[in-house]
Amino acid sequence: MGRWEPDAVGRLRAAALELFAEHGYEQTTVADIAERAGLTARTFFRHFPDKKEVLFQGSDGLQQAMVDALLAAPAGAGAMQAMAEALRAAAAYFGDIREFARRRRDVIAANAVLRERELSKLAALARALEQGLRERGIDPTDALLVAEAGTMVFRVAFEQWVARRERRGFDAIAQDLLWRLGGLSRER
Amino acid sequence: MGRWEPDAVGRLRAAALELFAEHGYEQTTVADIAERAGLTARTFFRHFPDKKEVLFQGSDGLQQAMVDALLAAPAGAGAMQAMAEALRAAAAYFGDIREFARRRRDVIAANAVLRERELSKLAALARALEQGLRERGIDPTDALLVAEAGTMVFRVAFEQWVARRERRGFDAIAQDLLWRLGGLSRER
């Protein structure tokens, strides 16, 4: 990451998404990506362990940011309130990557292996949130339920956020969904 | 399905699950299954289009039973109440197959292709429930949320139901989870 490669990660990511969209994920090689970015394959491997990680790097950081926020929620906060904080942290983590997230979504939707990888990342997120809720002293079954509900809200909010005509930010969408879920559950 | 093949479906299913557990799903052929069941491959194909369907046949019927129950809920019932009826219908549909479901779960957990198939069946269930809720006049975003929450409760209840030491029925587990989810959402 020396000065002779300004924003190598950003350039490699942009090049990869262009090529995946143009030729498909399977047909694109690391050499193609590096060439399009004006860099070498060696530079690619300094930043990513393999081609797939261009799409998935960052998901560990996202999970950690969500769990940290969940654990940092006020002591008196209930499980759903702590989950709201985790979703807020996801919004802050995403920042301004909506256009990247849209292109990434299209690439993943077109490839079964990537879809499975995405789902397994979501399952890992649910387990990490469940563990965080248990550390907050939440009953195990409640922790499981709230972690699954929160992960579902995260997934649905993400899908809405990357929809072509959506203008609201991730946080506004996620908090609206969580609020609606509360209202719907109250009806019973 | 003549009288000379009493309960061919049940015998083929039991034989398949035995063989999948003994040798693995990939290593088991339709001929193996038929032989173990004391039937012919031709009989197998009269009941199942392929090997995978031994595990997944019935999921369309389950989905239909759940959607039917959702649509048949009283006119004044809210979205979550209608979902509770759908889960009740799933319990009735399952009846006494817990031991089959346990063995099936183990087979699916061990095979990536089967796991993906199971997840795509769950996604299809969520879409069918969402459609049913929209037909009940539920707001589209609420229909999406309740369908996803209901499918999540279905999945978690199913996992608990097939856990080795679980003694409660599917309906008791699912209604408890839905009730808990309501209480947790109220906290906010």
Side-chain angles (χ1 to χ4, degrees), chain A residues 78-80 84 112 116 119 139 141-142 144-146 148-149 152 155-156 160 177 180 182 184-188, chain B residues 78-80 84 119 139 141-142 144-146 148-149 152 155-156 160 177-178 180 182 184-188:
Chain A
M80 279 289 180
E116 168 136 40
L119 290 171
D139 162 271
T141 301
D142 289 352
L144 168 60
L145 263 180
V146 172
E148 291 289 351
M152 178 275 281
R155 176 170 54 76
V156 171
Q160 297 195 344
L177 292 174
R180 277 173 183 261
L184 289 159
S185 300
R186 257 190 292 279
E187 276 175 16
R188 290 204 72 210
Chain B
M80 280 289 180
L119 289 172
D139 162 89
T141 301
D142 288 351
L144 169 60
L145 263 180
V146 172
E148 291 288 350
M152 178 275 281
R155 175 170 53 77
V156 172
Q160 296 194 345
L177 291 175
L178 212 54
R180 276 172 184 260
L184 289 159
S185 300
R186 256 190 293 279
E187 277 175 15
R188 287 205 75 210

Side-chain angles (χ1 to χ4, degrees), chain B residues 18-183:
Chain B
E18 275 175 28
L19 289 165
F20 295 163
E22 287 167 22
H23 308 297
Y25 173 79
E26 294 292 355
Q27 284 69 46
T28 301
T29 67
V30 165
D32 297 334
I33 297 168
E35 192 189 339
R36 174 74 61 103
L39 297 164
T40 63
R42 194 172 154 172
T43 302
F44 179 95
F45 288 116
R46 210 177 303 146
H47 299 287
F48 302 101
D50 58 38
K51 185 174 72 168
K52 201 153 55 181
E53 287 307 306
V54 179
L55 297 167
F56 291 98
Q57 199 179 70
S59 66
D60 291 348
L62 169 69
Q63 179 176 310
Q64 196 57 52
M66 291 179 76
V67 170
D68 288 349
L70 190 140
L71 293 173
M80 280 289 180
Q81 280 176 285
M83 186 56 66
E85 294 300 323
L87 289 165
R88 185 145 283 155
Y93 192 88
F94 287 143
D96 198 25
I97 63 159
R98 176 145 37 178
E99 199 45 46
F100 167 78
R102 280 182 176 142
R103 289 156 162 245
R104 176 183 175 281
R105 183 263 324 260
D106 292 342
V107 172
I108 288 174
N111 184 294
V113 173
L114 298 177
R115 285 199 305 274
E116 167 135 39
R117 173 89 166 175
E118 182 86 324
L119 289 172
S120 88
K121 290 277 181 187
L122 277 174
L125 174 64
R127 297 292 69 75
L129 293 169
E130 179 185 0
Q131 182 55 34
L133 288 165
R134 291 172 80 139
E135 282 172 33
R136 286 184 65 86
I138 305 292
D139 162 89
T141 301
D142 288 351
L144 169 60
L145 263 180
V146 172
E148 291 288 350
T151 302
M152 178 275 281
V153 165
F154 172 84
R155 175 170 53 77
V156 172
F158 193 86
E159 283 163 15
Q160 296 194 345
W161 185 54
V162 297
R164 293 287 159 200
R165 277 169 301 182
E166 181 62 58
R167 303 199 161 240
R168 294 172 300 162
F170 181 88
D171 192 49
I173 297 168
Q175 302 300 329
D176 173 60
L177 291 175
L178 212 54
W179 182 85
R180 276 172 184 260
L181 185 62

